[in-house]
Amino acid sequence: MSQGNDRPVYARIADDLRAQIQSGDLPAGGMLPSEASLVRSYGVARGTVRQALAELESLGVVASEMGKGRRVVGETAGGRGPIAARYEAIAQSLRGQIEGGSLGQGQRLPSEEALADQFAVSKGTVRQALQVLAGEGVITAVHGKGWFVGNAQTPLTRADEIAHLIREQIVSGGIPVGAPLPGENQLAQRYEVARGTVRRAIATLEAEGHVESRRGQGRIVTKHTTQPDGSEATATPAKRLPT
């Protein structure tokens, strides 16, 4: 780092992260690296990293998500600040999660109230974002149930609903990574459906990478849909800050 640069270190880190967002290295809808990872990457104290992240949040470039970390909202390519309107930023964040697979086909979105809390906006703003996505055919409203990934031309099947219920158990830790799924007969009895419906639901989860078949073990949970904001297992060299 140049001794001639009078900008605070946290501001330079914020500038560097913004540059990565503008270039697409940190895409809208994706998660920022964890605080611990950024501390190692930049070779600074956690408080300095938090100041940089607070700067990005104040600009509307990233948004905190409870229990997950900070998600990239997005920024115009010319660096002119956050994208047009808050509801558009929320729509872009949700769109990124859908395109990235964090929200799979047929999966129910969080409630409007939960999204309002997550993005620190009003429910009206959330509804605007959802209406944008609905207009694009990315999500659809199911009366009495909420918003789901998919469009009205590809309505949810019972297998989609079963896949969603099992996925929720995996995300919540009710079925932990490495544990076997209950058998097809047990799931069919639990959800009062045919075994064929259960098989189609499991096939969806296998295609998403949430479970896999292992000889002699059955179907095993391999990952959660979302990851908490934790430190990474591998160390990374300190990043050279822009001068």
Side-chain angles (χ1 to χ4, degrees), residues 37-227:
S37 176
L38 292 172
V39 164
R40 292 195 300 271
S41 181
Y42 289 104
V44 296
R46 186 178 289 264
T48 303
V49 165
R50 286 179 176 163
Q51 283 181 289
L53 296 175
E55 176 74 10
L56 295 178
E57 288 181 17
S58 71
L59 294 170
V61 178
V62 302
S64 293
E65 296 187 7
M66 186 175 297
K68 297 179 183 179
R70 294 172 178 87
R71 189 176 297 279
V72 177
V73 173
E75 186 169 14
T76 55
R80 294 183 294 275
I83 55 182
R86 196 72 183 107
Y87 77 88
E88 292 176 337
I90 295 169
Q92 183 167 329
S93 178
L94 293 172
R95 191 184 299 109
Q97 293 179 60
I98 293 168
E99 292 173 351
S102 297
L103 290 170
Q105 180 71 24
Q107 185 173 350
R108 185 171 60 197
L109 271 65
S111 67
E112 291 181 0
E113 184 175 1
L115 289 171
D117 289 342
Q118 175 180 318
F119 290 102
V121 296
S122 68
K123 288 174 67 175
T125 301
V126 167
R127 289 192 192 105
Q128 283 182 289
L130 296 174
Q131 287 164 3
V132 167
L133 295 176
E136 297 172 353
V138 176
I139 63 174
T140 189
V142 178
H143 181 67
K145 295 184 178 181
W147 292 91
F148 290 79
V149 178
N151 56 51
Q153 283 67 48
T154 55
L156 291 179
T157 65
R158 185 64 175 141
D160 291 329
E161 295 179 354
I162 301 304
H164 169 68
L165 293 171
I166 296 173
R167 192 185 297 109
E168 281 191 330
Q169 292 184 60
I170 294 172
V171 172
S172 68
I175 306 177
V177 171
L181 279 181
E184 290 180 3
N185 283 335
Q186 184 178 347
L187 290 171
Q189 292 174 3
R190 177 183 301 175
Y191 296 114
E192 299 180 343
V193 296
R195 283 183 62 186
T197 302
V198 169
R199 288 194 191 105
R200 289 193 295 275
I202 293 174
T204 296
L205 296 173
E206 287 178 331
E208 294 171 351
H210 302 311
V211 301
E212 66 178 24
S213 295
R214 296 181 185 174
R215 181 171 296 180
Q217 299 181 58
R219 295 181 175 94
I220 305 297
V221 175
T222 55
K223 73 171 184 177
H224 291 309
T225 303
T226 54
Q227 298 295 331

